Amino acid sequence: MNRHRKILFTLLLGIAFSAPTLAMAVEFAFHGDLNNRFGLYTNQQGFFSGDKVPVIDDNDRNDSFASIKYRLWTEIGDNDGAVKGVYAVEIGAIRFGRGSDANGGREWGGAYSGDGVNIETRWAYTDFQIPGVSSKARVKIGLMPFTVNSFVWDETATGVQLSGENYKLAWVRGKEALTSAGDEWGDNDLDALLGRYDFKNDALKSGVFGLYQWQDTQATSYAMNSNGYQIKKLGDVKFDLMTLGTDGSWSTPVNDNTVFLNWDLMYQTGSFDNVEFEDTLSGITAANKDYDLSAFFVHGDVGIKFGKSKLTYTAWYASGDDDANDDEFNAFITTDVDRFDSIVLMEGGYSDDVYFTERPALFDKGFIMNKLALDHQATEKLKIGAAALYMLTAEDIEYTDALGRSQKQDEIGVELDAYASYQLYPNIELAVNAGYLFAGDAMDRFEVSSSNANIVDGSADNDIFRTTARVRYKF
């Protein structure tokens, strides 16, 4: 036996004899979410622009596509659960047939031969119990799922989090910048501090929280626009922001039914300095100035569960800004969220990387949502549902139409949604949904036409239809 084979044989023996010991010391789990998505059809593919100014084409832009989004993660911990390490990778939104991306040259790996850069680290964190304290007192460090509130910040982020049965304290760094010549310590770093306390009993769950976010910079002027009105898209603008909020849920049995209520209430205050702000929709650009922020958000669900059905009415109001020329921001601002409430407008389509907006508001104009949804468990494996939505902006979308007239519109429109989900096996789902938006006149701002120069005339002319599907395997 040569030397290399002896080394290999010795290593294999060592692994074989140590395996029982290792198995006694740690627990290993492997999970997956393999999501195959299909944009079955839409008549307006230019509308799903990802928080940019969309295009609604008078001549339609029909399209369909298929994509995959696979997430795999492993958890390794000791037998009593005191320590756990988590690592997840994601192969994200690979379109069938999509090779290079003209917007940056990225290779997605969906074309012939499949080569491409498309794997990201989704989670990478250590989670451990604090010795000598309550068993529920734990620390997480790294790239982790981070939740403040589903309407303001609910995504992966890097930081340190201390949590217990009723509290959570966290520091998160949203962006880091190395100090350059002339910079002060901390310039251009974007940090956040969170404190939260929860109250719970059998029927009521409620919490209060405070989120403070800040970024310092020495810049004397920074461009900011309303389609980038989100903390993760601000760039190097100097700001201080405090979000104070409460959220919760309550339910009670009534005869053989259950009545429930969910709520979210938030107020924001802060300042944005040395900003040259552009209202993307009106085209107004304000002179460089300092802005004070005062904004709020209110959301509520009220519903009833009866038999195998659930009826829910959802409403929310996100404040918006009505004057780009003053020195106040009045629009509620999110950090990083994913909203699925609308199939057409938001990420409710199963191909959820393709959307108009991921936020609960439009640009800096806020939002008013009214939604009535019915869900029904038709059989043990089949679930169906339908919803009707009436949506507006909280403040008018102001623009000049093709005839030179000033327009002020706030009606997004009425949307009708439907879905069906079938469990082919306990861990594999087949689902299809569809949404149709009867466009309100505010959607006129986004219309284009190759044959009608006056299509932007203050009146919406084109409705939007979208249907998507997925085959999802989770384990």
Side-chain angles (χ1 to χ4, degrees), residues 25 27 77-84 127-129 135 138:
E27 291 183 344
D78 63 5
N79 286 335
D80 60 8
V83 182
K84 180 172 67 173
D127 177 355
F128 60 91
Q129 179 186 336
S135 61
R138 304 187 68 90

Side-chain angles (χ1 to χ4, degrees), residues 31 83 101 142 155 184 216 229-230 239 252 271 275 280 298 307 324 326 334 387-388 404 406 464 475:
H31 303 280
V83 182
D101 187 345
E155 252 292 357
E184 296 182 3
D216 286 326
Y229 193 76
Q230 196 171 16
F239 75 94
T252 187
S271 63
V275 170
T280 310
V298 180
D326 65 15
T334 62
S406 295
I464 302 172
F475 59 89

Side-chain angles (χ1 to χ4, degrees), residues 46-316:
F47 181 72
F48 305 100
S49 56
D51 280 317
K52 299 176 183 176
V53 178
V55 170
I56 302 174
D57 199 318
D58 191 40
N59 298 308
D60 286 353
R61 296 195 183 185
N62 303 309
D63 201 8
S64 61
F65 65 89
S67 67
I68 60 173
K69 184 176 183 179
Y70 285 11
R71 185 177 299 170
L72 301 168
W73 68 98
T74 184
E75 299 179 2
I76 302 174
D78 63 5
N79 286 335
D80 60 8
V83 182
K84 180 172 67 173
V86 178
Y87 181 70
V89 296
E90 182 175 292
I91 304 170
I94 297 178
R95 292 275 192 97
F96 289 19
R98 185 177 185 179
S100 61
D101 187 345
N103 299 319
R106 179 176 177 182
E107 289 290 337
W108 289 91
Y112 295 114
S113 300
D115 295 328
V117 179
N118 47 48
I119 297 177
E120 65 177 273
T121 297
R122 179 63 179 175
W123 305 321
Y125 64 91
T126 302
D127 177 355
F128 60 91
Q129 179 186 336
I130 301 175
V133 190
S134 166
S135 61
K136 295 186 178 180
R138 304 187 68 90
V139 172
K140 290 182 180 178
I141 304 173
L143 179 64
M144 69 187 83
F146 180 67
T147 299
V148 177
N149 177 281
S150 66
F151 287 96
V152 69
W153 193 355
D154 187 9
E155 252 292 357
T156 297
T158 48
V160 180
Q161 177 176 290
L162 167 65
S163 61
E165 184 174 3
N166 297 309
Y167 65 88
K168 179 162 64 176
L169 301 171
W171 163 69
V172 171
R173 171 148 288 177
K175 187 185 72 175
E176 188 219 9
L178 297 177
T179 303
S180 301
D183 287 345
E184 296 182 3
W185 177 45
D187 274 359
N188 301 323
D189 292 337
L190 201 167
D191 292 290
L193 296 175
L194 170 67
R196 179 182 179 93
Y197 191 83
D198 291 306
F199 311 87
K200 299 178 183 179
N201 60 35
D202 291 341
L204 176 67
K205 296 179 181 179
S206 180
V208 294
F209 60 88
L211 173 67
Y212 177 57
Q213 297 167 274
W214 73 97
Q215 180 173 242
D216 286 326
T217 178
Q218 299 302 307
T220 58
S221 179
Y222 188 82
M224 180 178 167
N225 54 45
S226 60
N227 62 294
Y229 193 76
Q230 196 171 16
I231 295 298
K232 71 175 183 178
K233 296 182 179 180
L234 282 184
D236 294 334
V237 64
K238 182 177 182 178
F239 75 94
D240 286 272
L241 173 65
M242 175 66 76
T243 302
L244 302 173
T246 179
D247 51 31
S249 63
W250 170 84
S251 64
T252 187
V254 177
N255 298 325
D256 294 329
N257 308 317
T258 300
V259 175
F260 63 89
L261 175 68
N262 306 312
W263 69 87
D264 303 270
L265 174 62
M266 286 171 276
Y267 173 73
Q268 295 180 325
T269 183
S271 63
F272 292 74
D273 298 340
N274 303 323
V275 170
E276 185 174 284
F277 182 75
E278 178 190 4
D279 181 343
T280 310
L281 298 179
S282 69
I284 296 174
T285 299
N288 179 40
K289 65 180 73 174
D290 297 341
Y291 289 85
D292 292 325
L293 176 94
S294 180
F296 66 94
F297 180 90
V298 180
H299 160 259
D301 296 324
V302 60
I304 183 170
K305 297 178 182 178
F306 55 99
K308 296 183 178 180
S309 301
K310 180 175 72 171
L311 182 66
T312 308
Y313 172 67
T314 297
W316 79 66

